[in-house]
Amino acid sequence: ADVVLQQALPCVFVSVTYRLIDPRHGLEQRLGAFLLVAQAVAFAGASLGYLIACLSPDSEFATVVAPLFVFPMILLGGLYANVGAIPVGARWINKVNPINYGFQAVSQSQWRDYGDIDGFPPVFATGKDVLAFFSLAQRSFEANLYRLLAV
């Protein structure tokens, strides 16, 4: 029963949010990649929750300890802080951070073939410039997805 819920919620989330971000390549082309990454991040998050619960002596301790694991992953995952600007001492967190791999995989799938960006002022010329600016160009979508599934 829990697996069905873990699959259904990311599908609902993706079906609403993906259309709101106005995908340039059309709804069908990148929706599968976005859905796959959302599913993998949901499963990795649930697994992290199960790990914390198994290592904790009781549920109150798990509730107190879980934010100590989750908040650094959220803050250093790439959405709030540029991956290249993270201090050297904290970069090890991203080696086991499913949020980081999910963010990089979604960014790769959406920006790698974006082409020319029209806008005022023109901050980025192409999607690859966006990836380079946010230090997300080092690994491909597939490599990030494999690492996400491994975590």
Side-chain angles (χ1 to χ4, degrees):
D2 193 35
V3 173
V4 174
L5 185 64
Q6 288 179 9
Q7 287 181 342
L9 289 179
C11 291
V12 170
F13 171 74
V14 166
S15 66
V16 172
T17 58
Y18 192 74
R19 190 64 187 143
L20 293 175
I21 61 172
D22 192 27
R24 180 176 180 184
H25 298 291
L27 188 61
E28 311 82 33
Q29 286 186 310
R30 303 288 179 207
L31 179 62
F34 199 79
L35 180 60
L36 182 64
V37 171
Q39 291 279 342
V41 169
F43 283 131
S47 299
L48 180 64
Y50 292 146
L51 175 69
I52 293 170
C54 289
L55 295 176
S56 300
D58 58 9
S59 62
E60 291 176 7
F61 184 78
T63 304
V64 171
V65 171
L68 298 175
F69 286 97
V70 175
F71 285 153
M73 289 184 179
I74 291 171
L75 293 175
L76 302 176
L79 183 60
Y80 297 114
N82 189 327
V83 176
I86 295 172
V88 177
R91 289 188 184 173
W92 65 270
I93 294 172
N94 279 342
K95 302 282 187 210
V96 295
N97 188 350
I99 296 171
N100 176 42
Y101 294 130
F103 177 70
Q104 287 194 29
V106 166
S107 297
Q108 282 285 338
S109 73
Q110 300 302 314
W111 288 109
R112 67 179 169 194
D113 299 326
Y114 199 84
D116 294 334
I117 298 174
D118 301 325
F120 184 80
V123 179
F124 305 110
T126 64
K128 292 184 183 192
D129 293 339
V130 174
L131 293 174
F133 178 79
F134 289 106
S135 304
L136 300 173
Q138 59 265 39
R139 284 190 302 270
S140 68
F141 168 77
E142 292 81 10
N144 282 308
L145 186 62
Y146 293 143
R147 288 188 167 130
L148 176 61
L149 294 174
V151 171

